[in-house]
Amino acid sequence: MDKTSKKKGNFRKGKDEKLIVESDGWWWLIHRGITASFLSIALFSLLVRAAVSLHPYSGAGNPPKFGDFEAQRHWMEITINLPINQWYRNSTVNDLGYWGLDYPPLTAYQSYVHGLFLRHFSPESVALFASRGHESYLGKLLMRWTVLSSDALVFFPAVLYFVLVYYAGQNPSRRRSDIAWHITIILLNPCLILIDHGHFQYNCISLGLTVGAIASVLSDKDLVACVLYSLALNHKQMSAYFAPAFFSHLLGKCLRRRYPVLEVLKLGLVVLGTFVVVWWPYVHSTEAFFGVLSRLAPFERGIFEDYVANFWCTTSVLVKWKRLFPTQSLKLISLGATVSTFLPSMIQQIWAPSKPGFLYGLLNSAFSFYLFSFQVHEKSILLPLLPASLLAMEEPFLFTWMTLYALFSMFPLLHRDKLVLPYLALSALFILLNHVPNGRRTTRDTSALRSFVITVSVLCSVVLHVVYLSLHPPARYPFLFEALIMLVCFSQFVILTVYTNAKQWMLLKHSNLVDKEKKLL
Amino acid sequence: MEAQTAPKLQNPPKPRNPITELWWFFAISACVKLLLIPAYKSTDFEVHRHWLAITHSLPLSQWYSDETSIWTLDYPPFFAYFERFLSVFANLIDPQIVHLQKGLNYSSNTVLYFQRISVILSDLCLLYGVFRLTRNSDSMKQKMIWVLVIWSPMLVIVDHLHFQYNGFLLGILLISLSCLEEGRDLMGGLIFAVLLCFKHLFAVAAPVYFVYLLRHYCWKGLVRGFWRLSVLGTVVVAVFALAYAPFVYHGQMQQVIHRMFPFGRGLCHAYWAPNFWVFYIILDKVLAFLLGRLGFNIQAPAASFTGGLVGDSSPFAVLPQVTPATTFILVLISLSPCLIKAWRHPRPSLITRWVAYAYTCGFMFGWHVHEKASLHFVIPLAIVAVQSLDNARHYFLISIVSCYSLFPLLYEAQEYPIRVLLLLLHSTLMWLGFSAQFANGIALETANSGKKKDDDFQTKRRSVAAAQKGGFIIGCVHWSYLVGMLLVEIWGQFLHPIIFGEKLPFIPLMLISTYCGIGVIGDKSIYWVRSNGNMVGRIL
């Protein structure tokens, strides 16, 4: 009794002291350090993910081909029922025409593990042949849980690693609430949540591995970075969007060391070793190897699909690329365009590798792939969005802007999946988290012109949302609204990527100054 | 005994706008609740839909006598009027929702969205109540209360998943309490009367209100006191008249009362709330078993507890039967210390605590208590919890236990991660918040005993260290209890199905309610002894 009353006395005295800590509105959430606040934020993010997973998935109740959900389920069915050398091969038991496996082996192994999990609780959901188009309460639930657990086991730890590394060298007086905000913004990225837990995919694994690789690069563990990035690449070939940045940054770093050739060789061997391990069942015969490889490059699907907000699709309103050129030359043209757009950022990193430059490089190379490469899907916007979210502290406005337009560019897709409600709720949540009262202080002076432009474009997109949801397009142009959305998003993405490229080169000036200072010292 | 309301702070370094912040908290929870729309909903969803239909399609005289569905209207008239109000909009959106026959078990998206969103919007009432109660507190307390009430996992589970309008009703209770705390007794009494006409289960706190208002409002000399008493009486009677007069006019009063007090339902709800009667039943079973072994002829009870409807036969084999009157007397006895306190020193700052205490008593000893009724005391207790370290510790345990005892409501696998995450998130936020709040007091001590204050970061570091020494720590009894809860959960979810398979499905449920019962009773009795010990001693 005495003890408690003493404490109460102390508590009363503590009132004035509170004034100091209350200058930071979120002090209570973060006073136990980054890891404790990460825990609470991660729990909230998981809750949001679990809630989103209650909603329909792509192709729900839509035979005969269903959607990505059925594709992933089918891969589980194939991998647990067939021997490993049959997975990528067309045969009487494995019809590649029906959602054949077209991701690299790590995805196949992941499907195998998840397939075992499904088979344990619901054998009929992964039975060979019989389970095609299997849709049941339990089946959906188990599938959703595999994504939830992959997210919690891969993406979340990777983000924690990144945050710990990214803020390790920084001035300790940096407000911890800023760090907490950054964690929140990365974990609650609405696009990633909607695609993984709504539409149904496993981007969290490849993106999580990429974040891990980025964090390793930032903490100068280049070999670990190579392993993690190779794994990401082996989970989803789309991770190659980041390859130029990784390559150029690591090469640039090696060139500045004592034995550049040796360093490069070391990294190369690690990458090769990782690849050999992952591809082990397929490296015994060239036939098997090329069989898998050919599955990974679906060139027959054309230069773009649906209405993706990239260069080829947008300009095809005016120039009919598909009719003008054969696929073969389109491949070359798109390759040329992609390389020429990511080249400047690569050169910058080889010339002067730096940590912020590396993050900008990731963003720029992913953007150039998204805008110019062959066979891009709407969902690929997740890749440029990832480095943008890692840069959110440096470029809060760019990140917000990009996320909103990335979301918007996926709106028709999500509308088809009947995910409009989570779309709206997550957008609202994102905007709310961006405007935490008394949280971060981003009081930048905004010019009248800038705020006018912002208001106009926000209004435009709101109007487009409403129009898309309420009106029927004219019969002559059934995809008029999709095209309009694509146009708006494309214009924003182009502006953003021009800005980030310029920004990356501006870093050079800054780093030169730092170098000179070092030499003087 | 308790820390008084916070002394006014000087202007904080940064101007903050509490109203924006409060809206922000609300909006965040609303987003999550929107995401939860397609989740599991209990039969209460259809109950409320059917009430929309009754109040919309039938004349007032038939509201309480209609038997189209088994889900008859059994809330007091104001709630029926509330449903009538909602049904106007429901009719605009989709007339089938309010159709008496065609609407039965209607489950299209329109009705789902309409009803779910109506709950989310009716939480605005809770928001207003919280705003009124916290507008004069300091920022840390405000935030803690918002986290505990607006982000309450129990409200999410009961209102937004299971489906009810508790947030709305508790909002009315909080508004009433805030009036009392501000000294506006008449208004507080009036709003409480309104609340009783929304849901009569809130009447458990009526004795506290009565004693408090009598002493604090009316006890002002003979003439003035009598005048005030008559004013108060008139106001309360007027509210009740407004609610019941139309039914009296139509000669429906008896029917209304019959519907509102279904004493035929038995002592315990189909699923046992973790209260005193759980132990009574278990004691009965144990005694019956032991006596049976010793050779006595024990008749197996005719009625079972889990059946819901019990009828006249005693469900107990050995112990005496419990009647509604017994429970009523028990509730009153357990309330008495608090009533005596309220009579002696009617202090506005304590009224919230007393009301929460009253609902705890009602939960412990009441007749046919739902596990959901724990909301009635957990939400008001949140206001009390932030006032002292001791209260916070108790609240930490009691809210976790109560939330956990709601788990069986969401028995489907789909909601399993959601309910677990809700509880974990709530406990983490509570732990972070309380330890931040109560670290400060001790931090000051260390900071003063040290020579100088460096910068605020250093102070924070020190306060964290101090917190580890003596701030918000959970004692080892509480810890082991929480670990035990984890074990109960693991048993119920994983080990029981593996070992027993489909057999004995009631054991995990029984385990949960017994275990939670131990928690609630244990914690409450310690708390009760601590806070009432002195006074009871004096009385004896």
Side-chain angles (χ1 to χ4, degrees):
Chain A
M1 201 64 192
D2 274 350
K3 207 177 158 192
T4 49
S5 58
K6 197 176 158 197
K7 265 173 210 155
K8 276 172 196 160
N10 290 343
F11 168 58
R12 223 168 280 147
K13 273 189 239 156
K15 284 276 154 54
D16 309 321
E17 204 265 347
K18 245 185 208 172
L19 280 177
I20 304 165
V21 286
E22 259 166 20
S23 58
D24 182 349
W26 288 89
W27 178 74
W28 62 274
L29 191 65
I30 46 183
H31 73 290
R32 291 260 167 168
I34 297 181
T35 318
S37 42
F38 180 84
L39 184 72
S40 56
I41 296 165
L43 285 171
F44 180 68
S45 323
L46 275 176
L47 177 68
V48 170
R49 282 163 162 78
V52 171
S53 75
L54 301 170
H55 292 263
Y57 44 81
S58 69
N62 184 21
K65 277 223 83 167
F66 303 95
D68 275 356
F69 177 87
E70 170 65 7
Q72 298 284 352
R73 197 210 53 73
H74 180 67
W75 295 351
M76 294 179 194
E77 170 199 334
I78 291 298
T79 47
I80 59 165
N81 287 304
L82 298 182
I84 200 162
N85 56 2
Q86 294 287 317
W87 288 356
Y88 289 90
R89 200 177 284 163
N90 203 12
S91 64
T92 50
V93 281
N94 184 9
D95 174 17
L96 289 184
Y98 183 82
W99 297 118
L101 197 48
D102 55 5
Y103 277 14
L106 198 59
T107 293
Y109 305 146
Q110 166 243 316
S111 296
Y112 177 74
V113 173
H114 287 155
L116 290 180
F117 169 74
L118 252 75
R119 185 160 69 181
H120 184 259
F121 291 100
S122 164
E124 67 280 2
S125 70
V126 283
L128 194 60
F129 290 127
S131 67
R132 279 207 185 170
H134 178 92
E135 289 186 299
S136 65
Y137 174 82
L138 189 60
K140 173 190 174 187
L141 202 59
L142 293 171
M143 291 284 282
R144 290 295 200 193
W145 286 358
T146 60
V147 190
L148 264 180
S149 58
S150 318
D151 220 340
L153 293 176
V154 181
F155 192 69
F156 282 53
V159 171
L160 178 62
Y161 179 34
F162 170 80
V163 170
L164 289 175
V165 167
Y166 190 62
Y167 290 104
Q170 303 232 4
N171 165 14
S173 71
R174 177 161 203 137
R175 285 154 46 93
R176 278 202 224 161
S177 59
D178 281 356
I179 304 176
W181 177 81
H182 197 182
I183 299 172
T184 317
I185 265 342
I186 301 176
L187 289 185
L188 280 167
N189 186 336
C191 303
L192 181 61
I193 298 178
L194 282 169
I195 292 299
D196 275 11
H197 301 270
H199 179 86
F200 205 92
Q201 278 195 342
Y202 292 91
N203 294 299
C204 51
I205 299 181
S206 60
L207 292 182
L209 290 168
T210 311
V211 173
I214 294 169
S216 319
V217 168
L218 294 184
S219 60
D220 291 317
K221 296 191 179 75
D222 293 348
L223 296 179
V224 181
C226 283
V227 173
L228 288 175
Y229 181 63
S230 309
L231 289 177
L233 212 49
N234 273 311
H235 189 267
K236 244 187 144 170
Q237 60 270 50
M238 242 88 85
S239 307
Y241 285 21
F242 299 123
F246 273 99
F247 177 76
S248 59
H249 180 78
L250 293 177
L251 181 69
K253 250 168 141 182
C254 291
L255 292 179
R256 307 189 143 211
R257 296 227 174 99
R258 213 157 168 200
Y259 307 106
V261 181
L262 196 72
E263 295 285 340
V264 173
L265 214 62
K266 228 163 60 182
L267 295 180
L269 278 178
V270 169
V271 171
L272 202 67
T274 318
F275 266 82
V276 168
V277 170
V278 174
W279 285 69
W280 189 250
Y282 305 102
V283 291
H284 299 294
S285 78
T286 44
E287 185 254 326
F289 179 75
F290 283 108
V292 178
L293 210 58
S294 69
R295 291 289 307 154
L296 304 187
F299 286 122
E300 72 282 0
R301 281 160 94 180
I303 189 157
F304 57 83
E305 241 179 75
D306 296 336
Y307 281 84
V308 51
N310 77 351
F311 175 76
W312 305 112
C313 190
T314 312
T315 50
S316 73
V317 175
L318 303 170
V319 189
K320 298 291 168 208
W321 299 103
K322 283 184 180 173
R323 263 183 258 155
L324 277 175
F325 299 97
T327 309
Q328 199 57 39
S329 44
L330 272 181
K331 262 192 244 174
L332 286 177
I333 296 171
S334 66
L335 181 70
T338 315
V339 171
S340 55
T341 44
F342 71 60
L343 214 55
S345 109
M346 260 184 97
I347 293 171
Q348 192 271 343
Q349 276 304 291
I350 297 174
W351 189 4
S354 68
K355 282 168 190 175
F358 172 55
L359 291 179
Y360 280 103
L362 287 166
L363 179 55
N364 290 329
S365 69
F367 244 142
S368 66
F369 270 93
Y370 175 79
L371 290 175
F372 295 105
S373 74
F374 197 83
Q375 234 293 306
V376 176
H377 200 277
E378 290 107 312
K379 285 165 271 180
S380 307
I381 192 64
L382 288 177
L383 291 129
L385 202 53
L386 179 78
S389 68
L390 302 183
L391 275 168
M393 199 52 86
E394 319 300 321
E395 301 280 352
F397 179 73
L398 171 126
F399 169 66
T400 317
W401 203 240
M402 184 171 163
T403 309
L404 289 177
Y405 277 97
L407 255 174
F408 191 28
S409 75
M410 294 193 298
F411 182 62
L413 173 84
L414 296 168
H415 180 256
R416 229 178 302 139
D417 292 344
K418 301 190 183 68
L419 291 170
V420 175
L421 176 72
Y423 174 90
L424 295 177
L426 282 182
S427 318
L429 194 63
F430 176 75
I431 293 166
L432 284 170
L433 292 171
N434 246 306
H435 298 276
V436 184
N438 303 331
R440 294 171 59 257
R441 268 159 242 178
T442 46
T443 41
R444 283 190 181 183
D445 47 342
T446 41
S447 64
L449 179 72
R450 194 171 124 162
S451 53
F452 174 74
V453 172
I454 292 171
T455 323
V456 168
S457 45
V458 166
L459 263 179
C460 266
S461 56
V462 170
V463 168
L464 261 176
H465 276 106
V466 174
V467 165
Y468 191 90
L469 286 176
S470 55
L471 294 182
H472 286 287
R476 271 184 66 198
Y477 306 104
F479 295 107
L480 177 70
F481 299 148
E482 278 89 347
L484 278 176
I485 291 175
M486 170 190 80
L487 229 98
V488 171
C489 294
F490 174 69
S491 63
Q492 300 300 324
F493 292 154
V494 168
I495 295 169
L496 288 175
T497 188
V498 168
Y499 169 78
T500 51
N501 268 293
K503 187 89 189 197
Q504 191 185 347
W505 277 88
M506 306 255 268
L507 287 173
L508 204 59
K509 224 186 263 170
H510 177 73
S511 69
N512 280 346
L513 279 175
V514 176
D515 280 354
K516 269 176 201 159
E517 275 168 24
K518 270 184 192 164
K519 269 173 200 162
L520 281 175
L521 286 170
Chain B
M1 260 197 75
E2 294 77 17
Q4 289 298 301
T5 41
K8 274 277 161 74
L9 292 167
Q10 297 90 7
N11 284 341
K14 270 257 166 180
R16 50 188 289 279
N17 186 353
I19 297 178
T20 329
E21 271 181 89
L22 187 59
W23 275 109
W24 187 85
F25 272 77
F26 179 76
I28 291 276
S29 74
C31 286
V32 176
K33 289 164 186 171
L34 278 176
L35 286 174
L36 290 172
I37 283 181
Y40 159 82
K41 53 189 188 300
S42 73
T43 47
D44 275 357
F45 185 82
E46 169 62 14
V47 171
H48 284 89
R49 194 220 47 80
H50 187 62
W51 292 357
L52 286 176
I54 290 180
T55 51
H56 192 266
S57 353
L58 291 176
L60 191 129
S61 57
Q62 289 171 36
W63 284 4
Y64 283 91
S65 53
D66 173 73
E67 284 182 347
T68 318
S69 151
I70 51 164
W71 309 122
T72 51
L73 187 56
D74 57 6
Y75 273 29
F78 273 168
F79 201 85
Y81 300 152
F82 173 64
E83 292 279 3
R84 176 74 185 91
F85 169 72
L86 289 180
S87 71
V88 175
F89 302 100
N91 187 39
L92 290 178
I93 288 165
D94 181 359
Q96 204 185 333
I97 299 174
V98 291
H99 196 283
L100 202 55
Q101 277 88 28
K102 273 197 244 164
L104 285 178
N105 295 313
Y106 186 45
S107 60
S108 76
N109 271 340
T110 48
V111 64
L112 180 67
Y113 280 57
F114 175 77
Q115 294 226 80
R116 290 280 203 205
I117 290 173
S118 74
V119 183
I120 295 174
L121 288 182
S122 70
D123 274 354
L124 284 172
C125 186
L126 182 73
L127 187 74
Y128 181 65
V130 171
F131 165 69
R132 286 189 59 109
L133 264 176
T134 57
R135 61 181 158 186
N136 293 323
S137 318
D138 64 82
S139 129
M140 186 63 217
K141 276 188 189 170
Q142 272 183 342
K143 277 203 194 103
M144 266 331 279
I145 292 176
W146 297 345
V147 168
L148 297 178
V149 176
I150 298 176
W151 290 357
S152 163
M154 296 174 68
L155 278 177
V156 174
I157 290 176
V158 177
D159 279 10
H160 302 275
L161 294 169
H162 179 86
F163 201 83
Q164 276 189 350
Y165 288 92
N166 290 298
F168 170 66
L169 299 170
L170 286 163
I172 301 177
L173 178 69
L174 294 189
I175 294 171
S176 159
L177 289 174
S178 73
C179 288
L180 292 186
E181 286 197 358
E182 286 162 16
R184 297 168 63 192
D185 290 345
L186 192 62
M187 197 62 185
L190 171 86
I191 295 172
F192 187 68
V194 171
L195 176 66
L196 291 187
C197 295
F198 267 103
K199 193 172 180 180
H200 48 305
L201 287 180
F202 281 97
V204 182
V208 176
Y209 264 87
F210 178 73
V211 170
Y212 176 80
L213 287 178
L214 192 64
R215 278 286 289 172
H216 191 257
Y217 181 67
C218 305
W219 214 261
K220 311 272 179 194
L222 194 63
V223 180
R224 204 159 146 232
F226 197 74
W227 164 244
R228 284 196 162 191
L229 184 64
S230 52
V231 168
L232 187 64
T234 319
V235 163
V236 173
V237 168
V239 169
F240 276 83
L242 203 64
Y244 291 94
F247 299 96
V248 175
Y249 174 77
H250 288 291
Q252 286 283 310
M253 230 12 237
Q254 223 172 356
Q255 181 65 19
V256 172
I257 289 176
H258 173 71
R259 283 278 169 85
M260 275 165 51
F261 297 97
F263 278 116
R265 278 194 188 171
L267 178 62
C268 290
H269 186 52
Y271 163 71
W272 305 346
N275 64 3
F276 175 76
W277 302 117
V278 172
F279 294 98
Y280 193 75
I281 295 167
I282 288 176
L283 185 66
D284 180 68
K285 298 262 180 222
V286 170
L287 280 179
F289 178 76
L290 288 181
L291 292 177
R293 276 294 171 89
L294 290 173
F296 290 90
N297 181 22
I298 303 292
Q299 294 264 311
S304 90
F305 289 104
T306 44
L309 295 166
V310 173
D312 289 334
S313 60
S314 167
F316 297 103
V318 184
L319 293 175
Q321 195 189 348
V322 181
T323 60
T326 328
T327 61
F328 184 70
I329 290 164
L330 268 176
V331 170
L332 265 188
I333 290 174
S334 58
L335 262 180
S336 55
C338 149
L339 293 181
I340 293 167
K341 255 191 188 174
W343 179 265
R344 286 192 169 177
H345 311 284
R347 275 158 56 189
S349 58
L350 292 179
I351 183 69
T352 310
R353 168 178 310 226
W354 292 332
V355 168
Y357 177 77
Y359 286 125
T360 321
C361 295
F363 181 78
M364 290 319 293
F365 301 106
W367 179 263
H368 195 81
V369 174
H370 283 248
E371 62 284 1
K372 288 164 264 176
S374 51
L375 268 175
H376 294 180
F377 62 84
V378 174
I379 297 294
L381 266 183
I383 318 290
V384 181
V386 297
Q387 287 170 5
S388 78
L389 182 58
D390 213 28
N391 290 346
R393 280 193 191 138
H394 285 287
Y395 183 79
F396 184 76
L397 192 76
I398 216 86
S399 74
I400 291 179
V401 173
S402 313
C403 183
Y404 182 63
S405 73
L406 294 177
F407 271 25
L409 279 182
L410 306 177
Y411 55 89
E412 287 194 20
Q414 185 177 240
E415 283 73 27
Y416 186 71
I418 291 173
R419 67 189 199 191
V420 171
L421 285 168
L422 275 172
L423 179 57
L424 285 177
L425 181 65
H426 178 65
S427 337
T428 321
L429 288 180
M430 219 168 17
W431 173 65
L432 285 173
F434 281 142
S435 54
Q437 190 189 345
F438 296 109
N440 289 344
I442 296 143
L444 184 72
E445 188 95 327
T446 26
N448 283 348
S449 60
K451 288 120 269 167
K452 51 171 184 169
K453 289 184 185 179
D454 305 316
D455 57 9
D456 79 11
F457 184 73
Q458 282 257 322
T459 326
K460 281 178 201 170
R461 288 294 286 272
R462 211 176 287 148
S463 71
V464 171
Q468 278 149 5
K469 266 182 257 151
F472 182 78
I473 357 167
I474 307 138
C476 65
V477 180
H478 285 189
W479 264 121
S480 45
Y481 181 80
L482 291 178
V483 171
M485 183 184 283
L486 189 70
L487 294 180
V488 168
E489 178 64 11
I490 291 172
W491 169 265
Q493 289 298 326
F494 306 105
L495 298 181
H496 186 86
I498 292 172
I499 297 171
F500 291 105
E502 299 290 303
K503 279 181 282 177
L504 305 173
F506 60 90
I507 290 219
L509 290 183
M510 213 175 80
L511 213 59
I512 291 177
S513 46
T514 320
Y515 197 74
C516 290
I518 295 172
V520 174
I521 291 180
D523 193 72
K524 272 293 128 186
S525 50
I526 294 168
Y527 192 59
W528 191 84
V529 169
R530 274 212 201 156
S531 52
N532 298 317
N534 292 344
M535 198 185 49
V536 174
R538 246 180 284 148
I539 292 166
L540 292 178

